[in-house]
Amino acid sequence: MSTVNMKKLKNLTQYNFTATFIKADVIVRERKSSSLKNIYPTVLLKNVCLADTGELIAKYYWLGYGKSLAKLGRLISGTQLKFEARPDINVLGNKNNGDIASLIAWPKNFRRLDKAYQYQAIPEDSHQLAGCILSGKQQEYNESEQWYLDQYKLWQEENGDELDTLVEEVPAIDNYQDIKVEDILDDKLEKYAAIRSEELSDSENRKYVIIDRETKKILDDNNSLGYLKVKDAYESYEHRLINAKERYRKRRALSWLLNHADFDKKLLEIYIEITNKDQWEGYISFDKKLVEDLLLQGNHTHLEFTSKDLLEVWYKG
């Protein structure tokens, strides 16, 4: 791995870089105007190189932990990254990175190069992210640090649904455009999960889709638009699922009725008698209760539809 000649880089020109994530940490800076100390999240990168040539920019590099990188979720040591940046070679470096610090200015559009990984959300807000990093240090916290930890706890409370979702090898949405949800009948929503879609998210918004927790197949991506909130993704999918169940039950009811002509004919006779005489064997209404009793009398139990479903398809003919 050769070291790049800094003079090859053009000032404020966009370059693609690759790097290896080593760890996340925090730095403390004291305000000049007061004794207050601010805590900022930071990351240590290794082998920062020009993506096109592989030339080495920095063996180790401390970088501010910004939103673009936080959108990738929790990272483990060794994760390969790619990003864009505009070097500012006219600015001196800092004490952490020496004179090469300025060569990675304005980083954005971070991507993971590993295709299979577990995604777990972390905060994008710098205060909450600092608290997240501090929470893993297992130390005695001072008053200032505790404030950042409290901010992280608030974020955890607001994002509970998302945090319990760990998904391995989430496929691209394009691979599952033909998957339909109409006949998926499952009463337990916990078998599905809202996860962040790498394909639909951008630098401005995180987008979520619904997947099957076991197969990882995408069940609902809001017509390839994704959902901006975890809550919206769950509610929309649950609504679709309920509608799908109803349609399924009515198809089963219609199929059953077509195969039980004697029951169909008896319903017609009862309907005519109630209409003409205002009653049939004590029943004064042709309703779902009557249909339910008729099914029980005929020992028609354990059906895939309700008496209401059967009544509705009978009326529609």
Side-chain angles (χ1 to χ4, degrees), residues 222-266:
N222 193 22
N223 296 320
S224 297
L225 296 176
Y227 296 93
L228 288 173
K229 296 181 179 179
V230 171
K231 180 181 178 183
D232 292 344
Y234 277 121
E235 289 182 350
S236 177
Y237 179 68
E238 188 175 12
H239 179 71
R240 289 185 61 191
L241 195 59
I242 291 173
N243 289 341
K245 290 178 181 179
E246 290 178 352
R247 292 193 297 271
Y248 176 88
R249 292 199 314 266
K250 289 175 182 177
R251 290 198 298 272
R252 300 286 77 78
L254 178 59
S255 177
W256 187 89
L257 194 60
L258 292 174
N259 286 284
H260 291 78
D262 55 338
F263 193 90
D264 189 1
K265 183 178 181 181
K266 186 171 186 177

Side-chain angles (χ1 to χ4, degrees), residues 207-218:
K207 300 292 186 67
Y208 300 92
V209 297
I210 294 290
I211 67 164
D212 184 293
R213 284 185 186 268
E214 182 177 352
T215 66
K216 310 301 186 293
K217 291 182 179 179
I218 293 173

Side-chain angles (χ1 to χ4, degrees), residues 33-303:
S33 58
S34 67
S35 60
L36 294 177
K37 295 181 179 180
N38 290 335
I39 298 177
Y40 299 94
T42 184
V43 295
L44 177 61
L45 302 180
K46 180 180 179 180
N47 294 337
V48 181
C49 300
L50 284 173
D52 295 336
T53 65
E55 293 175 291
L56 182 67
I57 288 288
K59 184 67 175 176
Y60 292 99
Y61 192 88
W62 285 99
L63 183 70
Y65 208 153
K67 287 186 178 181
S68 180
L69 182 54
K71 287 178 183 292
L72 300 183
R74 193 178 298 276
L75 302 175
I76 62 172
S77 182
T79 299
Q80 302 298 306
L81 302 171
K82 187 175 183 179
F83 62 95
E84 300 172 15
R86 291 185 298 161
D88 187 349
I89 60 178
N90 294 329
V91 180
L92 295 177
N94 60 40
K95 62 181 181 180
N96 287 328
N97 295 309
D99 59 2
I100 53 86
S102 57
L103 291 180
I104 309 178
W106 301 289
K108 64 178 183 178
N109 295 334
F110 281 86
R111 284 98 72 197
R112 299 181 66 139
L113 297 181
D114 48 336
K115 295 182 179 179
Y117 60 90
Q118 289 185 326
Y119 171 78
Q120 185 177 14
I122 59 174
E124 295 176 20
D125 175 82
S126 62
H127 295 158
Q128 296 169 340
L129 182 54
C132 176
I133 296 170
L134 284 170
S135 68
K137 288 184 172 293
Q138 297 180 347
Q139 62 184 35
E140 292 292 330
Y141 301 105
N142 58 39
E143 184 177 350
S144 177
E145 292 170 334
Q146 188 59 52
W147 183 86
Y148 288 90
L149 288 166
D150 291 341
Q151 299 306 304
Y152 174 52
K153 289 178 181 178
L154 289 175
W155 179 84
Q156 286 180 304
E157 293 173 359
E158 294 173 355
N159 295 271
D161 286 336
E162 182 182 353
L163 295 178
D164 67 359
T165 301
L166 280 175
V167 182
E168 294 185 17
E169 300 183 13
V170 180
I173 285 179
D174 291 343
N175 295 336
Y176 295 98
Q177 288 300 305
D178 296 330
I179 289 180
K180 298 184 182 301
V181 72
E182 280 78 6
D183 288 323
I184 295 176
L185 301 175
D186 200 314
D187 293 325
K188 296 183 178 179
L189 189 61
E190 59 263 26
K191 289 194 174 182
Y192 311 104
I195 66 163
R196 177 177 178 267
S197 167
E198 197 71 37
E199 299 294 320
L200 299 181
S201 298
D202 53 39
S203 59
E204 299 296 328
N205 296 301
R206 302 177 71 161
K207 300 292 186 67
Y208 300 92
V209 297
I210 294 290
I211 67 164
D212 184 293
R213 284 185 186 268
E214 182 177 352
T215 66
K216 310 301 186 293
K217 291 182 179 179
I218 293 173
L219 304 176
D220 183 9
D221 62 4
N222 193 22
N223 296 320
S224 297
L225 296 176
Y227 296 93
L228 288 173
K229 296 181 179 179
V230 171
K231 180 181 178 183
D232 292 344
Y234 277 121
E235 289 182 350
S236 177
Y237 179 68
E238 188 175 12
H239 179 71
R240 289 185 61 191
L241 195 59
I242 291 173
N243 289 341
K245 290 178 181 179
E246 290 178 352
R247 292 193 297 271
Y248 176 88
R249 292 199 314 266
K250 289 175 182 177
R251 290 198 298 272
R252 300 286 77 78
L254 178 59
S255 177
W256 187 89
L257 194 60
L258 292 174
N259 286 284
H260 291 78
D262 55 338
F263 193 90
D264 189 1
K265 183 178 181 181
K266 186 171 186 177
L267 287 178
L268 177 61
E269 293 171 350
I270 295 172
Y271 176 79
I272 292 174
E273 186 158 344
I274 290 179
T275 301
N276 294 334
K277 300 181 179 180
D278 296 326
Q279 70 90 29
W280 173 83
E281 294 188 5
Y283 291 92
I284 60 175
S285 298
F286 188 79
D287 55 17
K288 65 179 182 180
K289 181 64 171 64
L290 185 151
V291 174
E292 183 178 349
D293 290 346
L294 289 174
L295 288 170
L296 289 174
Q297 290 172 17
N299 201 29
H300 301 300
T301 58
H302 305 294
L303 301 172

